[in-house]
Amino acid sequence: MVSKGYFENDFQNYSIDNPCPFIDDTNKISDKFRSKLINFKNEKLLHLTSKLKKDLLRDGTVYTGSAGLALSYLIFSLNKNEICDETLQEALNFVDINNLKGRRISFLCGDAGPLAIAAIISYKLGTKKPASLPEYQDLVQRIINLSTLINESPDELLYGKVGYLYALLFVNKYISDKKGVPGNHIEKVITSIIKSGKQFSREMKSESPLLWQWHDKIYLGSAHGIAGILYILLQARSYINATEIRSFIKPTLDWLMNQRFSSGNFPSSLNSSSGDRLVQWCHGAPGFIPLCLLAYQVFNEEKYLNIAIQAGEVIWQRGLCAKGYSICHGVSGNAYAFLQLYQVTKKPDHLYRACCFMEWCAVERPGTELHRPDRPASLFEGLLGRVYLAADIINPLEAKFPAFCL
């Protein structure tokens, strides 16, 4: 039964006294469920690369286009014990760095994503790379050169500076030995983001020392808002002065936590008229959980963990979105919130809940996707997101929300 934008959750609550089809008695993914996930991944990946290939190739971005599949292949390869050159070569079939438009700076919806993916593949393949693929140093330089777009870019994740910052951090995670992006370049990008936040806060006379807007709204969530900006900044904290963290980032984080509803969910934007309605990664509790968990680890304050756990209860109750199964605004993205809670708490009930949501996405019961996505094959809106989750959840302690968690 669907109600208020979500389906009622009929899954039983986790109990150690009841047999569970998803996790075994050692609190790991059961062999039976693992086999189902592998079969689902392989079957749907074949479908994507054959029947839906044209849809993926309509644009070259990570969010809705071919670079999303390239990223998937790259991560599938990197997650194995040994780098799989064949998988990296396959990824190159879906990353187009020759027709970039030079208009957007971000990883998800701009040029930085395809360039970062190509740079890492070039670095990992080394002498085995095809002659048509530039040297990784040249690709890294192209990413650095995108900084000319900073002044005309928004601050948020999908299209803006924080999306660019993620690309820089992503490159440096996989291109080692100081061969990636120079630290002073990363610091300049961070300075621009924080400066913008300070300036807009002063203009608005806000209680929050940092404030950002997108399309004339003060969004709070991960995709366009403050939660996403703070999360990427905290992941980049080694490049940030401790005083900035203490005097600006943490007070902004605490202000943001105070905006939540009594239910534990968060508004999509400041003074939003939509109320306590959206429970999805882009707007609502699921996108705040990684921020709260990282804040708990960075600042060692229990309140952030408690907020994350309360947000998890919101997702368990209202997270089977009627919109469908997507990473961005559907059930796959919500499953990641439970995986993140499991990684920090190690409590099996969170892993069980993630598996329940994964099963919901895999079974595709009739009538459980009321809004067919505009890009049904894509990573953030379509089937590829479910494939990515299925591959990721098999090793739940290593799972990372794509293009967001480093």
Side-chain angles (χ1 to χ4, degrees):
M1 177 183 172
V2 65
S3 170
K4 298 180 181 178
Y6 62 92
F7 292 93
E8 297 294 332
N9 186 347
D10 292 328
F11 289 106
Q12 290 186 336
N13 285 318
Y14 174 78
S15 169
I16 57 173
D17 300 321
N18 294 327
C20 173
F22 305 132
I23 57 178
D24 60 25
D25 52 11
T26 65
N27 296 331
K28 294 181 179 179
I29 299 287
S30 68
D31 290 341
K32 185 176 181 180
F33 192 52
R34 178 188 296 266
S35 178
K36 284 185 176 180
L37 291 170
I38 292 171
N39 289 338
F40 173 82
K41 181 196 119 177
N42 292 339
E43 176 191 332
K44 297 301 184 183
L45 195 56
L46 178 62
H47 183 64
L48 278 164
T49 53
S50 54
K51 302 287 181 65
L52 297 179
K53 188 173 181 179
K54 285 185 178 178
D55 183 72
L56 276 173
L57 294 174
R58 284 183 194 166
D59 79 61
T61 69
V62 172
Y63 187 89
T64 55
S66 60
L69 185 53
L71 176 66
S72 303
Y73 278 128
L74 172 61
I75 298 300
F76 294 164
S77 174
L78 295 174
N79 284 349
K80 294 180 179 177
N81 291 330
E82 295 182 4
I83 298 297
C84 180
D85 291 349
E86 184 180 340
T87 307
L88 293 178
Q89 295 279 3
E90 183 64 22
L92 289 176
N93 294 325
F94 296 95
V95 59
D96 181 3
I97 56 171
N98 297 318
N99 296 294
L100 299 177
K101 297 179 180 179
R103 292 201 299 264
R104 288 178 177 164
I105 198 172
S106 70
F107 187 92
L108 275 169
C109 296
D111 291 4
L115 287 170
I117 293 165
I120 293 166
I121 294 172
S122 179
Y123 176 75
K124 295 294 183 183
L125 287 176
T127 57
K128 298 177 184 177
K129 77 173 186 64
S132 58
L133 181 63
E135 296 292 339
Y136 75 89
Q137 298 98 324
D138 296 332
L139 292 164
V140 169
Q141 188 59 51
R142 286 183 65 181
I143 296 168
I144 292 170
N145 293 344
L146 287 173
S147 62
T148 58
L149 297 171
I150 278 184
N151 290 338
E152 60 195 70
S153 298
D155 295 289
E156 48 81 81
L157 181 74
L158 257 64
Y159 303 105
K161 298 176 204 170
V162 159
Y164 179 55
L165 175 58
Y166 175 85
L168 304 179
L169 299 173
F170 183 73
V171 165
N172 280 9
K173 178 176 180 178
Y174 294 110
I175 295 181
S176 57
D177 301 323
K178 298 183 179 179
K179 296 176 181 177
V181 180
N184 62 352
H185 182 72
I186 294 175
E187 289 167 5
K188 287 177 185 176
V189 176
I190 291 169
T191 297
S192 176
I193 295 165
I194 293 177
K195 181 181 177 182
S196 175
K198 290 176 180 177
Q199 182 177 331
F200 187 59
S201 172
R202 288 194 296 269
E203 288 175 12
M204 298 300 293
K205 297 181 172 57
S206 173
E207 294 179 4
S208 172
L210 298 172
L211 204 67
W212 298 273
Q213 64 173 334
W214 186 73
H215 283 197
D216 300 322
K217 275 189 176 183
I218 301 170
Y219 283 97
L220 303 185
S222 280
H224 301 299
I226 298 172
I229 295 172
L230 292 180
Y231 181 60
I232 303 299
L233 287 175
L234 281 181
Q235 289 185 97
R237 62 191 178 278
S238 62
Y239 298 95
I240 305 176
N241 182 283
T243 302
E244 293 276 51
I245 293 175
R246 184 174 60 251
S247 301
F248 290 92
I249 292 177
K250 190 177 186 298
T252 300
L253 171 67
D254 290 333
W255 173 87
L256 182 63
M257 294 300 103
N258 288 333
Q259 306 311 307
R260 73 188 187 280
F261 295 115
S262 58
S263 70
N265 196 22
F266 286 81
S268 60
S269 60
L270 196 62
N271 303 318
S272 170
S273 60
S274 60
D276 185 356
R277 186 171 60 86
L278 299 175
V279 181
Q280 53 201 45
W281 171 78
C282 50
H283 301 293
F288 285 80
I289 283 181
L291 170 62
C292 292
L293 293 174
L294 182 55
Y296 165 64
Q297 293 167 312
V298 170
F299 301 115
N300 197 29
E301 294 185 19
E302 199 83 11
K303 66 180 181 181
Y304 299 121
L305 176 61
N306 293 334
I307 292 169
I309 291 171
Q310 187 182 12
E313 294 302 319
V314 173
I315 301 166
W316 183 239
Q317 296 298 324
R318 293 193 271 148
L320 294 175
C321 305
K323 288 180 179 178
Y325 317 116
S326 77
I327 287 276
C328 183
H329 39 264
V331 183
S332 291
N334 292 354
Y336 268 101
F338 295 128
L339 287 175
Q340 290 151 355
L341 283 163
Y342 173 66
Q343 289 167 353
V344 173
T345 67
K346 306 299 187 293
K347 292 185 177 179
D349 52 332
H350 298 305
L351 178 57
Y352 165 76
R353 290 177 172 187
C355 291
C356 289
F357 277 37
M358 175 70 250
E359 200 232 12
W360 176 274
C361 294
V363 171
E364 301 178 54
R365 293 176 180 85
T368 56
E369 185 179 48
L370 301 187
H371 301 277
R372 181 173 168 78
D374 294 333
R375 300 303 297 272
S378 66
L379 178 59
F380 267 70
E381 291 186 2
L383 177 58
L384 181 54
R386 285 184 279 158
V387 171
Y388 196 104
L389 172 63
D392 232 6
I393 201 172
I394 289 171
N395 297 301
L397 291 175
E398 310 301 323
K400 296 186 186 302
F401 193 106
F404 190 52
C405 301
L406 290 164

